[in-house]
Amino acid sequence: KKKKKDNVDLAFGGGTDLRLYHDPNNSYIVNNTGNLTITSNGDDADIIFQASTSTNAAVDYFRLDGSDGIMKAHKNIRYLQNVKATFGNTDNLQIYHDGSNSFIDNSTGIFRITQSVASGDLVLRADNGSGSPTPYLTLDGGNTRITAHKSMRFDDSVGVQLGVDADLQVLHNGTKSQLINYTGNLEITNNTNDGDVIFQASTGSAAAETYFYLDGSIGANRFPKNVLWDDNVKALFGGGSGDLQIYNDGTNSYINNT
C-alpha cells in the first residue's frame, strides 16, 4: 500500500469540503459544509467507537447498536463544569454541575422519581459530617411508609398539615407553638397500658412541671397543682346539667345544689 506523507489531505468535493489527513501526531476527518453522516447499512450492524489507553488495546467506548436500536455507552461519560445533560425537545430536564454544586432542574410538567422494584426502597442520603453518606429519609416500599432517620426542622410559620384540606396543623410562628384542628373532634390518646397523658409547663425561673395529667393506672384525672377558676366560672358536678355548682362572683362564694 502506498503511504501518504503527513499533512497530505485526501480531499472530496469540488471545494475539498471533506478532508482526511494525518499530521505528525493526530488523524483528522474534517467536514466543511453540510452535515457529516456516518451510516451503517448492514442488517443489525453497529457503529462502534473504540480507543486505547497507553497500556491496553482498543476497547469499545460507545456504540450505536443496530440490533437493539439504542445507543450504548461502555465507559463513563464525564460532563465538564456547566455542561448539561438535557432531555426533551426543549431541554426541559437538565442535569449538571457548576463546579461547586449539582443540579437536577425540571422546567415543565411533573417531576417524578420512581422506584419500580417490588418492595424496593427509595432512599435520600447525605453526609452527616462523618465522611460517608447516611440515610435521612426512606420511602419504604416493603412496609408502604415513609421513614425519617433524622429530625425534620420546619421554619417559622411553616406548618405540618394533615388531612385532604389541611384540617389539622402543627406549627411554630417564631413566638408560639400551635396545634390547630379545623374539623371534627381533636382527640389525644395514649394506648399504652397504664400510661398517662401529662400536661406540663414551666415558670420563668423553674423547669417544666406537671400541672395536670390523666392517670391511666388508676383511671382518674389528677391535679398536682392548684386549679384557679376566674370570677363567675363554675366548677360543675353531676351529669351534663351540673347539679352541684361551686363558684365565686368576685364578691361572694357559693355552693349551689340545683
Side-chain angles (χ1 to χ4, degrees), residues 38-256:
I38 301 174
T39 303
S40 174
N41 281 321
D43 291 343
D44 295 332
D46 301 344
I47 295 177
I48 303 171
F49 295 83
Q50 293 185 329
S52 172
T53 65
S54 58
T55 57
N56 295 308
V59 294
D60 293 355
Y61 275 59
F62 176 70
R63 75 170 57 204
L64 282 61
D65 191 320
S67 59
D68 292 335
I70 59 176
M71 294 179 284
K72 293 181 178 179
H74 299 274
K75 300 289 184 181
N76 294 333
I77 299 176
R78 177 177 293 171
Y79 294 82
L80 300 181
Q81 293 176 8
N82 292 307
V83 177
K84 301 176 180 180
T86 65
F87 304 84
N89 292 341
T90 54
D91 301 331
N92 299 124
L93 176 62
Q94 301 181 357
I95 303 174
Y96 63 99
H97 183 82
D98 67 0
S100 300
N101 302 296
S102 300
F103 303 86
I104 302 176
D105 291 339
N106 177 55
S107 59
T108 187
I110 297 171
F111 181 28
R112 293 179 178 170
I113 301 175
T114 303
Q115 159 66 287
S116 294
V117 175
S119 299
D121 298 345
L122 182 61
V123 183
L124 299 181
R125 302 194 305 167
D127 181 35
N128 62 358
S130 63
S132 60
T134 59
Y136 275 61
L137 186 70
T138 298
L139 280 63
D140 190 329
N143 294 305
T144 61
R145 66 187 181 192
I146 301 173
T147 301
H149 304 280
K150 304 292 182 181
S151 298
M152 301 181 69
R153 178 176 295 175
F154 295 81
D155 289 340
D156 289 344
S157 299
V158 177
V160 177
Q161 300 182 349
L162 306 175
V164 175
D165 298 315
D167 296 314
L168 177 62
Q169 300 184 12
V170 183
L171 71 150
H172 181 83
N173 64 8
T175 304
K176 61 183 179 181
S177 300
Q178 297 174 289
L179 174 64
I180 306 171
N181 179 55
Y182 290 99
T183 186
N185 298 324
L186 175 60
E187 299 182 1
I188 301 175
T189 304
N190 183 357
N191 280 320
T192 302
N193 291 337
D194 296 331
D196 301 340
V197 176
I198 302 172
F199 295 83
Q200 292 185 328
S202 172
T203 64
S205 59
E209 297 181 277
T210 300
Y211 280 61
F212 168 67
Y213 67 103
L214 284 60
D215 191 326
S217 60
I218 65 173
N221 301 320
R222 301 185 65 172
F223 298 86
K225 300 287 186 182
N226 293 329
V227 179
L228 178 62
W229 276 266
D230 290 338
D231 290 344
N232 292 305
V233 177
K234 302 175 180 179
L236 304 176
F237 303 86
S241 58
D243 297 319
L244 174 61
Q245 303 177 357
I246 303 175
Y247 66 99
N248 183 280
D249 64 6
T251 305
N252 301 301
S253 298
Y254 303 87
I255 300 176
N256 289 339

